[in-house]
Structure formats: C-alpha cells, structure tokens
Amino acid sequence: MRYPILLQLRFWCIIHCTLFAFSAPSVLSSGETQRQETYVYSFQYLGLTVAEGTITISDTLMDDGTSGKYMKTRATSLTAASVLFRIDNKYSTLIDTATCLPLLYTKNIEQTNLSQGCHFQFDQKNLCILSAEGEKISLAAPTHNFFSALYYMMNHTFQPKEILRLPVYAAGNIWEVRAEALKTEMIATSIGTYRTVQVEIEFHRHSNFQEQTRKTDVLTNRLLQEDVKTYLWFSATENGVVVKAEYELFPAGLRMMLAGYMK
C-alpha cells in the first residue's frame, strides 16, 4: 500500500514527537560523570521498524559540588526510511537533581528540511532563560524544557487518576503540560514484561505569555499543538523507565517500544 508524500512526511514528524525525546558534548559541566544508564527504543509504523532512539541518563558532579544529571537523547531514521525523511537529531539537558529543573539545554538538529544548533541557559533563580545569541526570556516561575519534564515524570510515582501540570519552555513559548495517569497495564517488550502506568500528555499554550513563531525541529513542531495527545507508559516498579509510547496517527498509530537497556 502506498501513501501520499505529505502523509509520509507527517509520519516522520511524529517519530520525533513520540520520543518527546529527549546528545551533546559533556562540556556543559566540568564535573566527572559517575554512572550512566542507556535505554534503547525502536519505532514501529504499519508493522515495520522505521527508526531507533536512545535516552542516556548520567550522574555528574557540578562545579558548585551539587549533583546533577545529563539527559541525552538521539533519534535516527533507519537507512531505508531515510529516503523519505532523514533524521539524526541530538538533545542534551543538564538537570538539577534536587529540583528536576533544567540548567542547560543544547540541541543539534540534522534533518532533511533543517540544520540547526541551539544552546540555552536556564537561570531558575532569576527566572530567565539566556540563549547563546544573547536573547533573554523572562519567566513567571521555575520552568522545564521537554526533557526535564520527561525526567520529572520518569521519577514521579503517579497515583490513580492523578493530574500533573508542568510549565515548559519550547520554541519561544511557555506551555502547560498536562499529564494524567489513566490506568495500570502490563506491557510485554522484547526484553521483558513490565507493570506500567499509562499517562496521557497534552500541551496547552500559557495564556500570559506572548506567542512567538520559531522555525524548529519536527519534535517541537509536532508536539506543540493543542489538539495533539501522546501516551506514555512508565514502569510502575522501576523509576526512570519509559516502557512504551504511542501517537495516534492515521491510518495507523506510531509506537515506540523499549528494546534494550545498558548500564
């Protein structure tokens, strides 16, 4: 079965928004990396594996002696699928372990329609974000980026029907992420079966923040729509594990599954 090229391109955009997910050189801090965990994911669409991704989380000791985490994410299209839309995108966030808030964020985008590098410093104490180009974004409250919000949820124990609301800065705008725990479910993967909590994710534009228009990667472009829903399954017994993710896409849903774990 063949599909129009616009549908194929839209499908490749969705690959990134499912990963939510979240690599850059570890020069963001002079501290020594102490422990590292890597989660490997496969993406399936219409029964085919079309892309792969990794989430790597490392311990680090920051300059002031406090502990932090690097969260590095990479998503790449497989060779055959790259004919339609090539993706090799890397994201790195330095996270304050005590608050789960981001301190530094770097992304390096290499995809068919965009090549881009960005670097941001999150000054949570003074409620602002500074870009490498000298732009200053004022914040009303301490704020996440995509990946620190994901890290927070990975390490949060969801209660039945609980709803989290997290402020997130992305593509020049402040968004409220609404995460609702729906149900528990057993999920079988190629590396084992997990008891999980299914969480529904929605983005809503913050009404008090002036809207900006930014050209950005397909992850940000696809997620930042108020009619889009993503579903994540977090391990209910092991903090830090995203077991499964799904995005509802016609004519079939895109699925991300945990395929490997390395320590």
Side-chain angles (χ1 to χ4, degrees):
M1 183 180 298
R2 302 182 64 183
Y3 298 96
I5 188 64
L6 289 178
L7 176 59
Q8 293 172 341
L9 290 175
R10 183 170 183 262
F11 146 60
W12 278 109
C13 288
I14 301 306
I15 284 179
H16 265 263
C17 68
T18 305
L19 187 54
F20 201 138
F22 16 196
S23 144
S26 57
V27 296
L28 297 179
S29 167
S30 62
E32 178 186 359
T33 297
Q34 299 169 332
R35 184 171 64 92
Q36 178 172 293
E37 297 176 310
T38 298
Y39 304 95
V40 181
Y41 296 90
S42 64
F43 296 88
Q44 293 95 33
Y45 183 71
L46 294 172
L48 301 174
T49 300
V50 294
E52 60 186 13
T54 57
I55 297 175
T56 298
I57 300 175
S58 306
D59 290 339
T60 190
L61 188 64
M62 297 187 292
D63 292 336
D64 62 1
T66 60
S67 62
K69 295 278 189 180
Y70 281 120
M71 185 172 184
K72 299 182 180 182
T73 298
R74 182 175 184 176
T76 56
S77 51
L78 299 183
T79 302
S82 293
V83 175
L84 294 177
F85 198 82
R86 177 182 58 84
I87 292 173
D88 186 7
N89 292 358
K90 304 171 186 177
Y91 310 83
S92 179
T93 298
L94 177 61
I95 299 172
D96 183 339
T97 306
T99 63
C100 293
L101 291 167
L103 302 176
L104 296 169
Y105 172 50
T106 300
K107 65 177 179 178
N108 294 284
I109 306 304
E110 293 295 338
Q111 58 191 43
T112 296
N113 65 337
L114 180 65
S115 180
Q116 182 186 73
C118 299
H119 181 87
F120 297 94
Q121 177 183 351
F122 282 71
D123 187 341
Q124 304 288 356
K125 181 178 178 180
N126 294 307
L127 297 179
C128 65
I129 302 171
L130 304 173
S131 73
E133 294 74 29
E135 180 183 11
K136 182 177 179 180
I137 301 104
S138 297
L139 304 172
T143 300
H144 287 277
N145 68 359
F146 277 132
F147 303 103
S148 66
L150 177 60
Y151 177 82
Y152 181 89
M153 288 186 284
M154 288 167 68
N155 291 278
H156 179 76
T157 302
F158 281 94
Q159 302 301 316
K161 305 301 180 181
E162 179 183 5
I163 296 176
L164 291 180
R165 299 181 188 274
L166 303 174
V168 172
Y169 173 79
N173 293 282
I174 301 294
W175 303 80
E176 180 184 79
V177 170
R178 181 184 184 276
E180 180 179 0
L182 300 181
K183 61 182 179 180
T184 59
E185 186 177 354
M186 299 300 294
I187 300 293
T189 75
S190 61
I191 62 171
T193 299
Y194 294 80
R195 185 168 69 87
T196 67
V197 178
Q198 183 189 16
V199 177
E200 179 184 83
I201 307 294
E202 295 179 339
F203 279 78
H204 300 282
R205 192 181 302 277
H206 199 291
S207 59
N208 295 326
F209 195 83
Q210 183 176 359
E211 180 177 351
Q212 304 286 326
T213 300
R214 301 286 177 88
K215 185 177 181 180
T216 187
D217 57 286
V218 292
L219 165 64
T220 303
N221 180 59
R222 292 303 307 165
L223 271 180
L224 300 182
Q225 299 184 37
E226 295 186 300
D227 60 342
V228 169
K229 291 184 180 179
T230 299
Y231 297 91
L232 299 174
W233 282 259
F234 296 97
S235 171
T237 56
E238 299 178 48
N239 283 350
V241 180
V242 179
V243 177
K244 176 182 173 182
E246 282 189 354
Y247 182 92
E248 295 176 348
L249 174 66
F250 179 84
L254 180 75
R255 174 182 295 177
M256 182 185 84
M257 292 293 294
L258 182 65
Y261 170 73
M262 295 174 287
K263 209 168 185 179

